[in-house]
Amino acid sequence: ETKPFNGGRAEMATAPIRKKAAVHGIRLISPPISSMLRVCVAWSTDQRRALSGSLDGTLRLWDMKTGHCLQVFEGHRRAVWSVAWGADGRRALSGSEDDTVRLWDTETGACVASLEAGPDCPVEVRFRGAEIVVCTSDGRILTWDVATNHSTEVAALPGLSGVSSCD
C-alpha cells in the first residue's frame, strides 16, 4: 500500500505536477520512508530470471529455478537503487547513487548506454516504449531517448523528495 508523506499535504501540493506527469503517462508514488531502505529486485517477464541491485554498485542476474547467480554486471561506482527489465528480456536498466542510469545487454552483461542524471541520484527507472523514464531523488522526472541519447525533464517536484516510483 502506498502512503503519502506529510499526511497527504504533499499530494495536494503537487497535484498540478502530478497531472503534468500523467499527461506523459507517468504515475508518481511517494512510499513510506522505510521502503527507501531496500535492495532492488526485478523479475523478468517470463519469471525465470531476476535482476538485483546492490549497495556495492553491482547488478546480479539470478536463475530463479536454481537460485544461482548467472552473471555480475559492473559499472556503477555507488549503490544501485533501481532496476528494470525491458519487455524483450534482452535489456535492463539500473539507476545508481553515482547519479547515472545505465542500459545493459542482459546476454553479455555489457553496459550499452549511460545517462548522467544530474546531481541527485535516479531512484526509479522504467522502460516506456522507446523511452526510458527516470525519477530522481530530488523529484525530477526525466525521459531518455536512448537512440538519440537525449534526455528531457518533463516535470519537477520542487521541495519534495522521496518520490521512488514512476509507473
Side-chain angles (χ1 to χ4, degrees), residues 151-167:
S151 65
T152 304
E153 185 174 308
V154 295
L157 306 171
L160 177 67
S161 61
V163 171
S164 73
S165 184
C166 47
D167 288 334

Side-chain angles (χ1 to χ4, degrees), residues 2-18 28-31 160 163:
T2 302
K3 297 179 183 176
F5 289 111
N6 303 324
R9 289 188 302 276
E11 293 289 325
M12 291 184 289
T14 61
I17 295 166
R18 291 176 187 280
L28 302 177
I29 301 170
S30 299
L160 177 67
V163 171

Side-chain angles (χ1 to χ4, degrees), residues 2-74:
T2 302
K3 297 179 183 176
F5 289 111
N6 303 324
R9 289 188 302 276
E11 293 289 325
M12 291 184 289
T14 61
I17 295 166
R18 291 176 187 280
K19 186 179 282 187
K20 181 177 179 181
V23 168
H24 293 278
I26 301 164
R27 182 172 52 96
L28 302 177
I29 301 170
S30 299
I33 292 171
S34 62
S35 71
M36 299 289 277
L37 307 173
R38 61 177 168 83
V39 174
C40 52
V41 178
W43 276 259
S44 61
T45 54
D46 63 10
Q47 304 292 304
R48 294 188 335 219
R49 299 177 295 163
L51 191 63
S52 65
S54 303
L55 294 176
D56 67 1
T58 62
L59 285 77
R60 286 178 167 70
L61 180 63
W62 301 91
D63 181 304
M64 296 309 295
K65 185 175 181 180
T66 66
H68 292 111
C69 179
L70 302 172
Q71 191 163 21
V72 178
F73 300 69
E74 296 179 342

Side-chain angles (χ1 to χ4, degrees), residues 53-157:
S54 303
L55 294 176
D56 67 1
T58 62
L59 285 77
R60 286 178 167 70
L61 180 63
W62 301 91
D63 181 304
M64 296 309 295
K65 185 175 181 180
T66 66
H68 292 111
C69 179
L70 302 172
Q71 191 163 21
V72 178
F73 300 69
E74 296 179 342
H76 286 296
R77 298 177 312 278
R78 298 190 67 186
V80 175
W81 294 114
S82 181
V83 292
W85 283 90
D88 62 5
R90 295 188 326 235
R91 298 182 310 154
L93 290 172
S94 60
S96 169
E97 197 174 278
D98 67 6
D99 302 332
T100 64
V101 176
R102 294 184 185 272
L103 176 64
W104 303 90
D105 180 316
T106 60
E107 302 299 318
T108 66
C111 176
V112 294
S114 181
L115 171 71
E116 293 287 332
D120 291 283
C121 72
V123 293
E124 188 70 26
V125 292
R126 294 272 193 245
F127 284 96
R128 191 182 64 156
E131 289 183 321
I132 292 168
V133 177
V134 179
C135 294
T136 66
S137 62
D138 67 346
R140 289 177 302 118
I141 303 165
L142 311 170
T143 57
W144 177 26
D145 182 335
V146 177
T148 63
N149 201 31
H150 179 73
S151 65
T152 304
E153 185 174 308
V154 295
L157 306 171

